[in-house]
Amino acid sequence: MIISSRKELEIILSSLKDFSNPKEILEQWMTPPDVAASMIWSAQEDLRNRLVADFGAGTGILGIGALLIGAKKVYFVEIDKEALKICESNIKLIEEMLEIEFNYELINDDVRNFSYTIDTVIMNPPWGLEKHRHLDRVFILTAFKNAEIVYTLIHYSKESLSFFEKLAKKHSFLMETIALVKFPLKFQYKHHRRPIKYVSAGFICFRKKTCC
Ligand code: SAH
């Protein structure tokens, strides 16, 4: 499968199903197709022909994007069985639509238990803003243990940037901000008053230092 443009990727990703019953406690928000396509497009050199994991895969948009750009294999890691079912049907939908077969594995487990040697993690994890404070750190630390290249969306603030910079340094990773994104949080939970709220997100790449 040869994807020739970011737009083409976005169009294919637009056919994926969203969470049918989003769970607030798990901070389930699907990355919009335009944001996901931009992430995949800018990370493509680190995804093509690589072993990749999508942590907190949800309905699978990032991992499917990685497969479309030519990842060798993708591990979809998701704690919620219901979300992983949608993820599986999304993968099958794209396989049928494009008449291709992907190499992938679905792992229904807490990300903390993931232990495979892989090349790259691409993820939009829970940002740890609600019930589980700082869950994003758990995801990033697990990614550092398993991969040398980690792409992630983070909640963007001066404090979080400086925190992640220190964390990267401590674990011998270099941190680069690739893009700033206005992430739309759609009305989906009862207490939300507005149809959409935009939150500042940063698309970040952590790369293991190769020497000294
Ligand atoms: N990555 C998807 C979903 C983002 S929402 C996307 O970009 O569209 C975050 C996802 O992390 C949810 O699907 C949630 O169920 C999952 N999650 C939350 N805690 C988790 C944990 N401890 N281990 C694995 N997945 C988890």
Side-chain angles (χ1 to χ4, degrees):
M1 172 75 200
I2 300 191
I3 300 282
S4 60
S5 68
R6 194 207 60 80
K7 192 71 200 168
E8 189 184 355
L9 190 56
E10 180 185 333
I11 291 167
I12 300 172
L13 294 178
S14 300
S15 50
L16 302 182
K17 278 198 217 96
D18 200 345
F19 294 100
S20 55
N21 171 30
K23 301 179 181 75
E24 187 167 21
I25 187 110
L26 294 171
E27 294 187 41
Q28 294 186 329
W29 311 90
M30 184 175 173
T31 304
D34 59 330
V35 176
S38 297
M39 290 168 68
I40 299 297
W41 197 251
S42 50
Q44 58 179 295
E45 300 303 326
D46 296 312
L47 298 170
R48 194 167 291 122
N49 298 319
R50 305 291 174 97
L51 293 175
V52 175
D54 177 359
F55 287 173
T59 56
I61 191 162
L62 295 176
I64 293 171
L67 287 166
L68 284 165
I69 210 82
K72 199 190 283 175
K73 175 172 183 172
V74 173
Y75 295 91
F76 292 85
V77 186
E78 171 55 57
I79 202 164
D80 179 29
K81 214 177 235 168
E82 208 179 333
L84 206 59
K85 271 222 165 105
I86 301 176
C87 176
E88 186 174 20
S89 72
N90 276 335
I91 296 168
K92 293 199 164 132
L93 175 86
I94 302 296
E95 284 186 321
E96 271 166 36
M97 197 168 96
L98 303 176
E99 297 179 350
I100 41 177
E101 216 173 288
F102 291 137
N103 185 8
Y104 67 94
E105 200 169 317
L106 302 170
I107 301 178
N108 183 207
D109 202 352
D110 191 311
V111 73
R112 291 170 179 91
N113 300 325
F114 183 85
S115 178
Y116 288 92
T117 303
I118 48 168
D119 300 301
T120 308
V121 170
I122 185 144
M123 62 183 178
N124 177 14
W127 294 347
L129 300 176
E130 306 263 346
K131 305 279 187 303
H132 301 287
R133 299 281 297 160
H134 309 312
L135 190 54
D136 48 354
R137 299 173 192 182
V138 173
F139 273 71
I140 288 173
L141 285 172
T142 309
F144 285 174
K145 271 194 222 149
N146 293 284
E148 299 204 336
I149 301 170
V150 179
Y151 285 92
T152 183
L153 270 187
I154 60 164
H155 181 244
Y156 199 81
S157 69
K158 252 195 197 154
E159 295 72 34
S160 64
L161 264 194
S162 117
F163 177 85
F164 286 123
E165 235 149 28
K166 283 189 201 128
L167 194 72
K169 205 168 167 196
K170 187 171 163 203
H171 292 269
S172 304
F173 278 79
L174 293 170
M175 175 172 148
E176 185 193 351
T177 302
I178 314 267
L180 297 181
V181 180
K182 286 274 162 226
F183 192 93
L185 296 183
K186 276 187 294 178
F187 172 89
Q188 57 185 14
Y189 302 122
K190 276 192 203 113
H191 63 84
H192 291 155
R193 298 211 188 93
R194 282 181 284 166
I196 281 192
K197 179 177 144 195
Y198 287 90
V199 181
S200 298
F203 182 42
I204 306 287
C205 177
F206 297 100
R207 212 172 274 277
K208 184 93 176 168
K209 285 187 199 163
T210 45
C211 103
C212 334

